[in-house]
């Protein structure tokens, strides 16, 4: 039988071939498409025929090959369809599987809450770089040259640069400087972000943590404005009736400076282990922006005054959720993190 006749017969066979199972489909492949299959054999035979016959047969043979391949493809597709429709142990009425949403990190939740409270008072959010130079992190903020924070043991330095070393910022107060340098008063902003210190990691200290800085500079800003702003903040965050007290303190960039305590959110002031029996817990540092700082940033300290404050987000979060080990915040332990998934995102 010549090639042409056989191709005709095989074509008829392929067209009428039916398969309902994977095995039958595989039989088709083995008969026509594998190395020792019919298509390949016909091509081998084709090589032997005369040049004249080649001309007549070439196209026919190629079409035959495509026919066999397409048939196999459609047999496979038919199998897929059938397995979905015919498989009786699949219940197509079952509801879909829901996605499990992750949860916000507790520090993000608290940062968001803090930002929202200050937004109500007209504070905008500003950010600055975590890799900072000496000027913005220390000098402009009135830190003397010999201040211990400039020590390698306290700060992660990245590069020595004559008089303006590069370091990981040790607090968000650097963003105050960037903000004041860039614009003109009034400034009313909060500045959340990550800060770094060269500390041994323990339950109570870490080499990085988060702060929120606040700055308000305008004409006639007084310590009374500072107290009222922070009082409002505390009532919003910890509930009405939370008491505040200001203790005199020292920071190079504020004068006068204070630390603010709130009545213990756990024992409500009666004394517990968290407040070490005192009824009070410290939550932030604050003060009136030192005139030197204003001048360093190109602001007329005779015309303008302002207050600033800075708080650790970890500390506020610990108080809110009674978390006792700082390391939990960065260990990515799902058992810890998923406890916050009921919070509104
Ligand atoms: N930068 C201070 C720190 O990291 C916190 C601070 C204290 C910020 C007083 C202020 C402030 O803006 O007025 O410990």
């Amino acid at each position: 039988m010549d090639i042409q006749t056989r191709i005709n017969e095989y074509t008829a066979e392929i067209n009428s071939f039916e398969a309902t199972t994977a095995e039958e489909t595989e039989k088709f492949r083995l008969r026509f498409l594998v190395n020792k299959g019919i298509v390949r054999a016909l091509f081998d035979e084709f090589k032997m025929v005369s040049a004249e016959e080649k001309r007549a047969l070439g196209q026919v043979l190629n079409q035959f090959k495509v026919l066999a391949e397409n048939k196999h493809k459609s047999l496979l597709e038919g199998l897929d369809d059938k397995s979905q429709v015919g498989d009786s142990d699949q219940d197509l009425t079952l509801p879909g599987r829901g996605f499990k949403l992750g949860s916000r990190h507790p520090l993000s939740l608290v940062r968001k809450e803090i930002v929202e409270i200050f937004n109500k008072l007209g504070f905008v959010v500003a950010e600055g770089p975590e890799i900072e130079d000496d000027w913005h992190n220390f000098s402009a903020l009135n830190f003397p040259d010999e201040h211990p924070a400039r020590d390698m043991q306290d700060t992660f330095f990245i590069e020595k640069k004559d008089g303006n070393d590069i370091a990981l910022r040790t607090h968000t107060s650097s963003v105050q400087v960037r903000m004041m340098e860039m614009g003109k008063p009034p400034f009313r902003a909060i500045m959340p972000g990550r800060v770094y210190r060269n500390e041994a990691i323990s339950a109570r200290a870490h080499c990085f943590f988060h702060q929120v800085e606040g700055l308000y500079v305008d004409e006639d800003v007084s310590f009374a404005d500072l107290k009222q702003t922070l009082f409002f903040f505390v009532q919003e965050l910890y509930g009405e009736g939370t008491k505040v007290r200001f203790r005199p303190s020292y920071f190079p960039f504020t004068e006068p400076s204070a630390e603010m305590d709130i009545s213990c959110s756990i024992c409500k002031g009666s004394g517990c282990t968290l407040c070490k029996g005192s009824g009070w817990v410290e939550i932030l540092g604050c003060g009136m922006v030192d005139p030197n700082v204003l001048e360093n940033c190109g602001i007329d300290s005779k015309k303008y005054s302002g207050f600033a404050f800075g708080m650790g987000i970890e500390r506020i979060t610990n108080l809110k959720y009674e978390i006792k080990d700082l390391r939990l915040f960065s260990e990515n332990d799902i058992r810890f993190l998923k406890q916050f998934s009921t919070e509104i995102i």
Side-chain angles (χ1 to χ4, degrees):
M1 227 192 287
D2 67 359
I3 298 188
Q4 180 66 64
T5 316
R6 270 176 293 143
I7 288 179
N8 290 347
E9 279 180 11
Y10 289 139
T11 302
E13 182 185 337
I14 289 174
N15 283 334
S16 59
F17 193 97
E18 277 180 36
T20 45
T21 64
E23 289 79 52
E24 284 164 352
T25 305
E26 180 63 2
K27 247 186 221 158
F28 179 89
R29 193 180 72 88
L30 292 174
R31 179 159 165 73
F32 289 100
L33 295 171
V34 292
N35 254 344
K36 289 192 174 137
I38 286 169
V39 172
R40 186 58 176 269
L42 287 173
F43 269 94
D44 287 345
E45 217 177 305
F46 174 76
K47 280 185 213 147
M48 319 289 190
V49 301
S50 68
E52 200 183 317
E53 264 182 294
K54 267 196 183 125
R55 230 170 290 131
L57 264 180
Q59 207 185 350
V60 177
L61 194 52
N62 270 323
Q63 278 169 355
F64 175 71
K65 181 178 166 222
V66 172
L67 174 80
E69 284 169 351
N70 285 346
K71 178 73 180 193
H72 185 240
K73 234 188 261 168
S74 71
L75 289 175
L76 284 176
E77 279 163 16
L79 280 184
D80 280 354
D81 292 349
K82 283 192 195 84
S83 70
Q84 273 179 26
V85 179
D87 215 340
S88 60
D89 56 3
Q90 286 196 14
D91 181 355
L92 300 179
T93 65
L94 275 177
R97 283 196 197 111
F99 284 95
K100 266 214 174 129
L101 277 185
S103 56
R104 289 222 182 212
H105 192 280
L107 294 175
S108 303
L109 288 171
V110 171
R111 183 189 57 200
K112 187 164 173 276
E113 224 180 308
I114 296 171
V115 165
E116 276 168 6
I117 295 171
F118 282 103
N119 279 347
K120 289 190 196 172
L121 295 173
F123 283 70
V124 296
V125 174
E127 281 178 8
E130 290 178 18
I131 297 176
E132 195 45 287
D133 56 18
D134 180 286
W135 170 255
H136 293 94
N137 197 78
F138 296 125
S139 296
L141 289 163
N142 219 20
F143 279 77
D145 283 346
E146 68 286 359
H147 194 282
R150 287 189 141 114
D151 202 293
M152 299 276 281
Q153 258 140 44
D154 292 303
T155 299
F156 292 116
F157 285 96
I158 293 176
E159 200 185 332
K160 286 266 162 217
K161 254 191 168 180
D162 32 83
N164 199 18
D165 299 343
I166 307 295
L168 293 178
R169 69 178 177 196
T170 60
H171 53 181
T172 44
S173 304
S174 54
V175 191
Q176 286 186 35
V177 179
R178 291 200 168 265
M179 191 164 195
M180 289 192 281
E181 276 178 345
M182 273 188 335
K184 284 204 177 89
F187 300 108
R188 200 174 348 167
I190 51 166
M191 300 148 248
R194 182 174 286 183
V195 302
Y196 302 83
R197 290 189 197 170
N198 194 356
E199 300 258 7
I201 296 170
S202 71
R204 300 170 59 85
H206 211 294
C207 59
F208 65 79
F209 55 99
H210 301 79
Q211 291 186 329
V212 176
E213 191 81 11
L215 178 71
Y216 184 17
V217 178
D218 202 348
E219 292 178 33
D220 297 326
V221 176
S222 72
F223 204 95
D225 297 317
L226 164 63
K227 284 178 93 172
Q228 188 56 36
T229 303
L230 293 179
F231 181 75
F232 174 81
F233 165 66
V234 165
Q235 305 307 300
E236 291 277 308
L237 190 67
Y238 291 104
E240 262 172 50
T242 309
K243 295 198 194 84
V244 298
R245 77 175 183 189
F246 291 81
R247 283 179 292 103
S249 184
Y250 172 78
F251 300 102
F253 38 91
T254 44
E255 182 59 37
S257 304
E259 268 159 316
M260 188 178 87
D261 300 339
I262 58 165
S263 49
C264 179
S265 57
I266 309 299
C267 67
K268 307 277 173 256
S270 61
C272 65
T273 50
L274 185 92
C275 59
K276 300 196 191 79
S278 73
W280 295 96
V281 279
E282 182 203 319
I283 65 160
L284 55 80
C286 57
M288 301 305 292
V289 182
D290 192 299
N292 284 346
V293 175
L294 293 174
E295 296 293 339
N296 284 342
C297 301
I299 290 165
D300 183 354
S301 63
K302 300 221 170 47
K303 185 164 176 208
Y304 294 104
S305 56
F307 66 74
F309 55 86
M311 65 188 102
I313 304 183
E314 276 80 352
R315 176 140 189 85
I316 309 265
T317 311
N318 288 352
L319 285 176
K320 196 173 158 76
Y321 295 112
E322 294 179 55
I323 297 164
K324 295 196 176 70
D325 191 330
L326 271 178
R327 290 168 292 197
L328 284 166
F329 290 127
S330 48
E331 276 171 348
N332 270 348
D333 187 334
I334 210 88
R335 291 167 302 179
F336 171 69
L337 295 172
K338 75 177 178 198
Q339 295 176 54
F340 301 90
S341 58
T342 54
E343 297 282 340
I344 297 157
I345 298 184

